[in-house]
Amino acid sequence: MPFKQLVFSGVQPTGNLHLGNYLGAITKFVALQDNYDCIYCVVDMHAITVWQEPAELTHTTREVTAAFLACGIDPKKHIIFNQSQVAEHTELTWVFNCVARLGWLNRMTQFKEKAGKDRENVSVGLFAYPNLMAADILVYRATHVPVGEDQKQHLELSRDIAQKFNNDFAKSISERGFGDAFFPLPEPIIQGPATRVMSLRDGSKKMSKSDPSDYSRINLTDDADNIAQKIRKARTDPEPLPSEEKGLETRPEAENLVGIYAALEGTTRAAVLGQFGGGQFSTFKNALVDLAVARLGPIGAEMKKLMQDPGHIDAILADGSARARVIAAQTMTAVKDIVGFVRS
Ligand code: TYM
C-alpha cells in the first residue's frame, strides 16, 4: 500500500540554535512546506536525556518554536508542536524498545560520543534515544525526514525498526487490512552545500550547541556585531581561496566557510569559488559577513519579538499538539490491535 507523503522532523530545545541547525535543517523545513504536509516538533523529551534546568527548558522550547516561526514555517498550514504534549510518542517508543535490538543501539556513534568514558553514569534515556526518534517519525507514519548529516545513522535505525516491525507482525498487519507494511521506511532528506556545518574554531569538529566556545558557532540570536566578529575571527589558513572545489580538499576551515556562503546564498560551492577564487580571504570573509547579517539579522530580531509574548507561542504549541495527537492516536490504535493489546 503506498503511504501518504508526509514530512516530519525535530529539533532539541537545548542551548542556542545555531547556523548548523539553520542550514542543515530549518531552511529545509521551510522549503518543504510548499510541496508536502509537514510536522515540525520541538523534542523536549529528547532534551531531558541529559540534565536540563526546568526553567531553561521551558525557555528554550519557546525559543525553538520562535525560530521555526521567524524562519517562515506556517503553523496554520502545517503543524508545530512540542513532543511532551503528545503522549503517543512515548507509548510507541515502548513498543519499539521491544522491537529494536540492543546490538543496534550499541552501534550508535552519537551515543558513544556523548557518553564518552562515563558510560555507566549516563541516563538510560540517552541510550534508548534513537527508539524515541523512530517513534517520533513513525507515530505519524511520515515518509520524509529533513535532517543534517549527523542524524543519518539514527534515520537508518528508524528504517530498521520500521522494517522489523513490519516483518515481525506481517500476519497481523495483513489480517487487519494494512497490506504488507504498516510503517513506511522513512527517507532522510540530507541535501545541499551545508549538511554538516563545522565549528568556526576547528574545521574537524561539528558546529554544536554544546561547544564551550561561543566563537565556534553563530547563534540565530546573535546580533550583527557578534556575527561579524565571529566570522572575522573564524580560523582559516593563509592561502587565498582556490578556484576549483578540489583545492578545498585539504582545507577544512576554508571548505566550511565556502559551504556556509553557498547555503546562505542558495547556490553551489563551485559558483562561490567562481566568484571569490584567487582573491584575498579577507574579501571573501567581508562578503560572508554581509550575507550572514542580511540573512540571519531579521530572523534573530523576529525571534526576540516573538519571545516577548510567550502566551502566543504556547497557544501555537497547544494547537499543533492537538492536531498532532489526532494523527498519533490513530496510529497507536492500529499498533495496539496489530500487537494484540486488548483495548476498550
Ligand atoms: P538536534 O537538535 O541536534 O539538531 C537539529 C537539526 O539540526 C541539524 N544539525 C546540523 N546540521 C548541519 N550542521 C551541523 N553542525 C548541525 N548540527 C545540528 C541536525 O542534523 C538536525 O536535523 N535527534 C535529533 C532531533 C530529533 C529528530 C527526531 C530529527 C528527534 N526526533 C525525528 C528528525 C526526526 C537531534 O538531536 O537534532
Side-chain angles (χ1 to χ4, degrees):
M1 188 173 57
F3 291 92
K4 179 180 170 286
Q5 298 214 322
L6 180 71
V7 167
F8 180 93
S9 197
V11 174
Q12 289 198 62
T14 46
N16 289 317
L17 279 184
H18 54 69
L19 190 62
N21 301 127
Y22 176 66
L23 295 178
I26 301 175
T27 54
K28 313 286 165 52
F29 298 0
V30 175
L32 287 162
Q33 295 185 100
D34 294 340
N35 297 319
Y36 294 88
D37 287 330
C38 304
I39 304 180
Y40 297 126
C41 183
V42 187
V43 290
D44 47 7
M45 291 192 298
H46 275 93
I48 65 162
T49 55
V50 298
W51 171 252
Q52 304 296 326
E53 278 305 319
E56 188 58 26
L57 180 64
T58 307
H59 177 82
T60 38
T61 299
R62 290 181 180 137
E63 200 170 60
V64 173
T65 311
F68 285 174
L69 298 170
C71 290
I73 296 170
D74 182 340
K76 293 211 171 70
K77 289 205 186 113
H78 303 276
I79 292 179
I80 296 179
F81 77 108
N82 60 312
Q83 194 182 24
S84 61
Q85 294 208 60
V86 181
E88 284 79 2
H89 288 239
T90 32
E91 247 185 313
L92 185 58
T93 300
W94 184 258
V95 176
F96 286 173
N97 282 345
C98 302
V99 171
R101 305 290 93 180
L102 209 59
W104 298 359
L105 291 174
N106 269 329
R107 284 197 283 277
M108 295 295 112
T109 50
Q110 192 157 308
F111 174 75
K112 289 184 204 162
E113 277 165 25
K114 285 198 173 168
K117 292 199 182 72
D118 204 18
R119 246 183 118 120
E120 295 290 306
N121 252 328
V122 295
S123 74
V124 175
L126 190 68
F127 184 71
Y129 175 118
N131 293 347
L132 177 58
M133 186 161 156
D136 296 338
I137 301 163
L138 293 170
V139 84
Y140 303 100
R141 301 211 277 168
T143 52
H144 292 81
V145 185
V147 282
E149 176 76 34
D150 63 333
Q151 295 301 317
K152 192 166 176 223
Q153 196 186 31
H154 288 159
L155 254 292
E156 279 159 9
L157 186 89
S158 298
R159 293 168 63 90
D160 289 344
I161 290 175
Q163 181 79 65
K164 187 166 190 306
F165 182 95
N166 289 340
N167 289 346
D168 289 354
F169 294 102
K171 187 160 164 280
S172 188
I173 287 170
S174 101
E175 279 168 4
R176 277 161 188 80
F178 293 111
D180 54 8
F182 180 71
F183 287 120
L185 306 188
E187 290 279 343
I189 303 182
I190 304 174
Q191 287 164 352
T195 56
R196 188 173 176 81
V197 177
M198 308 309 277
S199 156
L200 299 181
R201 308 301 292 162
D202 177 351
S204 69
K205 268 176 37 192
K206 188 178 77 170
M207 184 177 285
S208 122
K209 297 167 189 160
S210 55
D211 193 313
S213 165
D214 199 49
Y215 273 89
S216 68
R217 65 183 158 261
I218 293 174
N219 304 307
L220 289 190
T221 48
D222 282 346
D223 62 22
D225 285 348
N226 275 153
I227 295 174
Q229 250 184 2
K230 287 177 177 178
I231 292 176
R232 295 217 170 89
K233 285 202 171 161
R235 192 165 134 187
T236 44
D237 54 54
E239 303 298 315
L241 278 180
S243 303
E244 306 282 328
E245 274 187 87
K246 214 172 153 30
L248 290 174
E249 273 171 13
T250 52
R251 301 174 62 188
E253 283 86 12
E255 185 182 25
N256 189 37
L257 294 182
V258 170
I260 290 173
Y261 191 102
L264 284 171
E265 181 72 358
T267 180
T268 59
R269 287 171 196 229
V272 176
L273 293 179
Q275 191 180 347
F276 294 100
Q280 288 297 318
F281 224 115
S282 55
T283 311
F284 170 67
K285 273 193 170 179
N286 286 336
L288 181 56
V289 168
D290 291 345
L291 179 61
V293 169
R295 290 280 183 280
L296 303 180
I299 294 173
E302 180 65 13
M303 281 172 70
K304 282 185 193 131
K305 206 167 106 199
L306 287 163
M307 286 301 282
Q308 284 165 11
D309 188 357
H312 173 64
I313 293 183
D314 293 0
I316 286 173
L317 292 174
D319 173 65
S321 300
R323 286 155 57 216
R325 219 175 282 133
V326 173
I327 309 171
Q330 281 170 2
T331 305
M332 266 328 285
T333 299
V335 166
K336 285 178 182 172
D337 289 345
I338 289 167
V339 171
F341 291 155
V342 175
R343 65 181 177 85
S344 48

